[in-house]
Amino acid sequence: MVWLNTKSSPFCLGNGTKQGGILSPFLFTRYSRPLLAEISSGNVGCHIGGIAANIFAYADDIVLLAPSWHALRDLLLLLDKCCKELGMLCNTNKTKCMIFNPTDKTKIVSQTFPHFTIDGHCLQFVNEFRYLGHIISNNLSDNVDIKREKFIICMCVLIC
């Protein structure tokens, strides 16, 4: 980096693109669009009415959906392959796995699942996580998110 004729030592940037930055559309078309197209065109994961519903994305927040651990493993392998082809890395510290059991308990096939990896890094299993500002729970209940929202409303009332 050079500023006012003074040269600094080399340094790495750990942050991504500023939200709404001028590079965002270019980077989306260069990286995210091909990744999303490749995974959604694959015949792996969930399908609803003949349409692939295996990947959902909002900007760089991506969710993979799979009906089985085999399908999720295949989706993760495809994601890893696409990322390598595009020169991208997945942030495995922020990447989580969640199992949604069927409501009919007789249809539960297994209580244990293999560890999933991306680029050799093990992914953590969680019972809930925050996606796009909402808390999603593996018990198909939104009670945790409603409780959080009620707390925020109460705090706003107390502050006002």
Side-chain angles (χ1 to χ4, degrees):
M1 176 79 175
V2 177
W3 187 60
L4 295 176
N5 295 324
T6 303
K7 186 176 181 180
S8 73
S9 57
F11 59 92
C12 292
L13 295 176
N15 294 337
T17 306
K18 182 179 177 184
Q19 188 168 349
I22 195 165
L23 279 178
S24 295
F26 168 76
L27 293 173
F28 179 82
T29 57
R30 170 68 178 92
Y31 295 102
S32 297
R33 183 188 284 169
L35 179 96
L36 298 173
E38 180 72 21
I39 292 173
S40 65
S41 68
N43 205 16
V44 178
C46 296
H47 291 77
I48 300 171
I51 297 172
N54 55 1
I55 186 166
F56 295 98
Y58 184 82
D60 64 343
D61 290 322
I62 296 174
V63 172
L64 297 175
L65 293 177
S68 68
W69 72 267
H70 291 282
L72 182 57
R73 183 198 58 206
D74 292 346
L75 280 175
L76 290 170
L77 288 170
L78 183 57
L79 174 71
D80 196 31
K81 177 181 149 271
C82 291
C83 285
K84 285 180 177 150
E85 288 172 358
L86 293 166
M88 291 174 43
L89 293 174
C90 287
N91 185 344
T92 53
N93 292 326
K94 291 172 63 177
T95 305
K96 309 295 181 206
C97 292
M98 183 181 288
I99 307 293
F100 294 92
N101 284 320
T103 51
D104 181 355
K105 302 297 182 206
T106 63
K107 294 186 178 181
I108 294 176
V109 178
S110 177
Q111 293 292 341
T112 59
F113 296 88
H115 287 285
F116 297 107
T117 61
I118 296 179
D119 196 28
H121 296 92
C122 262
L123 303 180
Q124 178 187 7
F125 280 90
V126 296
N127 294 325
E128 60 185 40
F129 69 94
R130 185 183 296 251
Y131 181 69
L132 301 179
H134 296 282
I135 297 173
I136 299 171
S137 300
N138 68 346
N139 63 3
L140 301 176
S141 168
D142 55 1
N143 289 343
V144 174
D145 199 48
I146 290 170
K147 185 184 279 187
R148 181 187 62 85
E149 290 289 342
K150 284 172 52 177
F151 177 77
I152 291 169
I153 290 169
C154 289
M155 291 305 295
C156 288
V157 169
L158 290 174
I159 292 171
C160 296

